Amino acid sequence: MKIKQFFLILLTATLSFAQKAPSYYDGINFKSKGYTLKKELADLITKTHTKELTYREVWDVLKKSDLNPDNENEVLLLYGSESFGKHARSRDLNATDRGRNVPNTWNREHTYARSLARPKLTTDEPGAGTDAHHLRPADKDLNKERSNKRFDDGKGTRSYTTNRGGWFPGDEWKGDVARMMMYMYLRYGKQCPADNIGLPPNIYSSDFPDVFIKWNIEDPVSDFEKRRNNVIALEQGNRNPFIDNPYLATLIWGGPKAENTWTESIDTNYIIEEEENKQLNEYIVYPNPVRENQEKKIMVQGEDIENLKWLKIYNIQGELLKHIINPFISGHAKTVDLSGYGKGIFIIQTAMFSKKVLVL
């Protein structure tokens, strides 16, 4: 079958997913959210992962999954944005780097950096380190420049190292990265936590960096991503749910609403409003804003806050200012002192909630 005909079939299959969840997701309760939905989807993509690829087999899979739609003799390169050089967006299909140290070749980028997993990802045997859902063709030298940097927000078409020492993948690829990291966190759980691969803050969810939620919205799913998901599903058996419907991330981790492609299966307004109201009722931080003529301490109210194990204070740039262990021990005041940080926007984060506080 010719490549173009193959892509046409895959595109038709993808379009059939519009409006209603496909049969792959039968049994998932889309009225659930948060941890419950995360666990259901994690169980699904684990159960249906019927073939674990070897690292050698990944070469052949990527030559099918990452084909350039405009040139079937090339693959698209993650982080690439230009017509040639280290930042090339595409490269010859067979220009693979096989350890020969040849320039202008591509290799297999572990989008979830191997050394940041716990335990680290290995390629000696099939597993998380050989999962094609997060392995992408990338320029050999640009891949080396990224190294194991955690992902960080930025802007522009070019990928680069940010001021915080993170890695911005470029505007075209940031949504792809976000959805791959969402998949890895669900599929491999504690081995691939989102906090290990993305820089803070975590305003919307204590266990998930905001940067991925933001990118999931700003860079919508492309036809290339959809085709890629279909090809890998044929090889491995499982899918990336966040490519099929980016709104699943909103249901699990909160934040601004991503696009809901299954409007017949998920009632957007009902579920999100219910979750937001629940969060507002459970935890209160006041006064907010804190003004210059007030003592710069905020009060915290909520269920079982005496049992919170930690509290972190971040500035709006995501820099950790303070990490407090057992912040609200029984018998002590339920306050957080912000007097030493000047004016600005701060994020108060615990395992149960994250709140923005403005100091004027």
Side-chain angles (χ1 to χ4, degrees):
M1 181 186 293
K2 292 184 179 296
I3 294 295
K4 290 181 179 178
Q5 292 175 321
F6 182 58
F7 274 171
L8 181 60
I9 291 174
L10 290 176
L11 181 58
T12 302
T14 299
L15 290 175
S16 68
F17 283 9
Q19 307 304 319
K20 188 175 181 180
S23 58
Y24 178 80
Y25 297 95
D26 287 352
I28 300 294
N29 179 12
F30 292 116
K31 288 186 178 181
S32 63
K33 49 194 175 292
Y35 173 80
T36 301
L37 180 59
K38 181 169 73 171
K39 187 177 186 307
E40 287 187 28
L41 289 172
D43 289 345
L44 173 66
I45 63 177
T46 301
K47 179 180 65 177
T48 56
H49 193 169
T50 53
K51 177 177 173 54
E52 291 187 313
L53 301 170
T54 66
Y55 202 39
R56 181 182 295 273
E57 288 173 328
V58 168
W59 284 116
D60 294 328
V61 172
L62 295 184
K63 287 181 180 182
K64 293 184 288 185
S65 64
D66 289 66
L67 277 179
N68 182 353
D70 299 320
N71 185 342
E72 61 188 43
N73 296 313
E74 295 179 339
V75 289
L76 293 187
L77 304 181
L78 187 68
Y79 314 140
S81 59
E82 300 174 0
S83 57
F84 59 90
K86 181 171 69 174
H87 284 268
R89 184 175 177 270
S90 62
R91 185 146 291 148
D92 184 274
L93 186 70
N94 295 310
T96 54
D97 172 45
R98 304 279 180 159
R100 300 187 303 271
N101 198 28
V102 178
N104 298 318
T105 54
W106 62 271
N107 59 12
R108 298 157 294 184
E109 157 71 325
H110 284 82
T111 314
Y112 196 108
R114 293 172 61 184
S115 63
L116 298 183
R118 52 188 193 205
K120 71 178 184 179
L121 305 183
T122 178
T123 57
D124 295 335
E125 57 186 25
T130 65
D131 191 322
H133 276 299
H134 85 116
L135 286 163
R136 297 285 290 263
D139 176 87
K140 177 179 68 70
D141 294 322
L142 190 57
N143 192 1
K144 184 178 180 180
E145 183 177 326
R146 186 260 163 144
S147 184
N148 66 346
K149 297 180 181 74
R150 295 163 70 188
F151 290 109
D152 192 14
D153 202 12
K155 58 182 178 180
T157 57
R158 240 186 186 227
S159 55
Y160 61 90
T161 301
T162 67
N163 292 335
R164 294 201 290 168
W167 184 252
F168 178 63
D171 286 337
E172 180 179 2
W173 304 112
K174 61 186 182 182
D176 301 51
V177 167
R179 290 177 281 272
M180 284 188 284
M181 298 306 94
M182 292 170 180
Y183 166 86
M184 291 297 285
Y185 185 30
L186 257 65
R187 174 63 183 87
Y188 299 102
K190 292 180 179 179
Q191 185 180 10
C192 296
D195 278 339
N196 280 24
I197 195 65
L199 289 173
N202 297 34
I203 298 173
Y204 305 119
S205 177
S206 61
D207 69 335
F208 202 78
D210 295 349
V211 64
F212 298 135
I213 294 172
K214 180 174 182 282
W215 289 352
N216 184 44
I217 296 169
E218 291 180 345
D219 179 23
V221 177
S222 65
D223 287 340
F224 171 77
E225 266 186 284
K226 294 174 185 177
R227 290 193 297 265
R228 187 176 194 278
N229 197 22
N230 288 335
V231 171
I232 294 172
L234 290 174
E235 298 288 342
Q236 295 189 174
N238 65 345
R239 305 187 62 80
N240 183 333
F242 305 101
I243 294 175
D244 290 336
N245 191 350
Y247 186 69
L248 295 173
T250 308
L251 293 178
I252 294 172
W253 295 293
K257 297 178 183 177
E259 179 188 8
N260 178 18
T261 58
W262 301 337
T263 53
E264 292 183 20
S265 300
I266 302 176
D267 185 343
T268 304
N269 294 325
Y270 171 78
I271 294 177
I272 293 302
E273 287 174 3
E274 179 187 81
E275 178 70 6
E276 288 175 345
N277 290 336
K278 180 181 178 183
Q279 290 178 352
L280 287 173
N281 291 335
E282 283 185 349
Y283 300 100
I284 301 172
V285 173
Y286 68 94
N288 191 10
V290 181
R291 302 188 181 279
E292 190 68 39
N293 59 355
Q294 298 172 329
E295 185 180 13
K296 291 185 180 176
K297 291 184 178 180
I298 57 172
M299 296 291 297
V300 181
Q301 288 184 349
E303 296 180 5
D304 298 324
I305 62 171
E306 294 89 351
N307 296 323
L308 293 175
K309 302 299 183 183
W310 54 267
L311 181 145
K312 296 179 183 180
I313 304 173
Y314 293 93
N315 62 20
I316 195 62
Q317 286 76 39
E319 298 170 321
L320 179 62
L321 303 178
K322 194 169 186 179
H323 184 183
I324 307 170
I325 304 299
N326 298 323
F328 306 126
I329 298 174
S330 180
H332 291 68
K334 308 301 187 293
T335 63
V336 178
D337 188 356
L338 297 175
S339 59
Y341 307 119
K343 298 179 181 180
I345 299 174
F346 301 89
I347 292 88
I348 307 300
Q349 180 185 334
T350 75
M352 299 301 295
F353 67 88
S354 292
K355 300 285 185 181
K356 284 184 182 179
V357 177
L358 178 62
V359 178
L360 300 177

